[in-house]
Amino acid sequence: MRRTTPRQARKRRKSPRKRPRSGRTAKIRRRRTHAVGTLTVPQQHRVDLAAEIRASVVTDGWREVVGDRASEYVASSTFARLTRNYRRRRCRFLADIAKAILAGKAKYHDLVGGLADKVMALFGTERIERQFVRELVTKIPLPGDSRLVATARGVQITGILLCVLNGDDLSRCQCSIDLALEQAKTAVEKLLTTALEDWTQLARFGPKA
């Protein structure tokens, strides 16, 4: 019987190479976020200034009303589970999904179709986050891209709400950081106040080119 050399044995123990992803899921990879500690000095300054404005808008009344608005679009049990046992990475996951929607990399059928769980799982989301996004996008009564923009902004608003409920500094909230880097300070303030009203109005805050 032919004996196996140590070198041959090592080769056999090596795990097979993974095949590259193909199709739709290959295009919807988790995007790199501007996390705290990786910002340039001008970016950090912009985030800090925007955080000061948000602090004046995001009061106890804002938290209560925005929570009520979110509950109008998702089941009360879904929202309760989302806000229970909050972890900061939950905001990062929501931020990634929102950015993918705004960039056109996550379409309606990616969020509610048969592959929705698989697609959103690419962002590291947990089941409750996927459920929240799915319910939100299906309940917003707008057509096409307007529905997606309103959904993305609603997701970002919810991420900020989660950080506020947890007592986190808004300058370290990923959804808050993304808004500060994309939108002007006045636009961020208007978006936060618009969140107190009908969330269909969030469709007015499209992504900046």
Side-chain angles (χ1 to χ4, degrees):
M1 180 181 295
R2 187 175 180 180
R3 300 181 62 181
T4 301
T5 66
R7 183 175 182 181
Q8 290 173 327
R10 286 195 299 270
K11 287 184 177 180
R12 290 180 182 179
R13 286 197 296 268
K14 289 183 179 179
S15 58
R17 296 180 62 183
K18 293 183 179 180
R19 297 179 61 184
R21 289 173 177 163
S22 59
R24 184 67 182 164
T25 56
K27 299 178 182 179
I28 312 179
R29 298 173 183 169
R30 185 177 178 182
R31 299 187 53 163
R32 294 180 64 88
T33 57
H34 292 89
V36 176
T38 65
L39 301 176
T40 64
V41 173
Q43 287 176 329
Q44 187 62 59
H45 181 63
R46 183 170 181 172
V47 167
D48 291 341
L49 288 178
E52 293 178 6
I53 293 177
R54 287 189 293 277
S56 65
V57 176
V58 182
T59 61
D60 290 342
W62 185 92
R63 290 185 296 181
E64 182 177 352
V65 174
V66 168
D68 291 341
R69 290 292 173 269
S71 298
E72 292 176 359
Y73 294 95
V74 301
S76 56
S77 57
T78 299
F79 187 70
R81 287 175 56 206
L82 186 72
T83 55
R84 190 185 305 132
N85 299 325
Y86 170 70
R87 287 169 289 181
R88 181 174 291 176
R89 66 176 185 175
R90 181 162 290 169
C91 174
R92 294 201 301 269
F93 295 155
L94 293 176
D96 285 341
I97 292 176
K99 289 180 72 174
I101 295 173
L102 293 171
K105 292 191 174 185
K107 302 297 185 182
Y108 181 80
H109 63 271
D110 294 320
L111 304 176
V112 301
L115 294 176
D117 276 348
K118 183 176 181 180
V119 170
M120 285 192 280
L122 296 176
F123 301 99
T125 55
E126 297 178 356
R127 181 175 299 178
I128 183 56
E129 291 137 16
R130 299 196 291 269
Q131 182 67 21
F132 173 79
V133 175
R134 184 183 299 109
E135 291 183 18
L136 181 60
V137 73
T138 55
K139 291 293 182 63
I140 290 182
L142 291 173
D145 290 343
S146 295
R147 178 199 293 260
L148 292 175
V149 171
T151 297
R153 296 309 184 194
V155 169
Q156 289 176 322
I157 289 294
T158 303
I160 292 174
L161 175 63
L162 293 179
C163 288
V164 171
L165 292 175
N166 196 51
D168 293 340
D169 185 345
L170 288 180
S171 64
R172 302 183 66 83
C173 169
Q174 191 61 58
C175 288
S176 181
I177 290 172
D178 290 345
L179 279 175
L181 295 179
E182 181 203 350
Q183 300 280 334
K185 294 190 295 294
T186 54
V188 173
E189 185 175 8
K190 289 180 180 178
L191 194 155
L192 292 173
T193 55
T194 300
L196 297 170
E197 305 167 5
D198 187 344
W199 276 18
T200 59
Q201 298 302 313
L202 295 176
R204 295 188 286 114
F205 300 90
K208 296 297 183 181

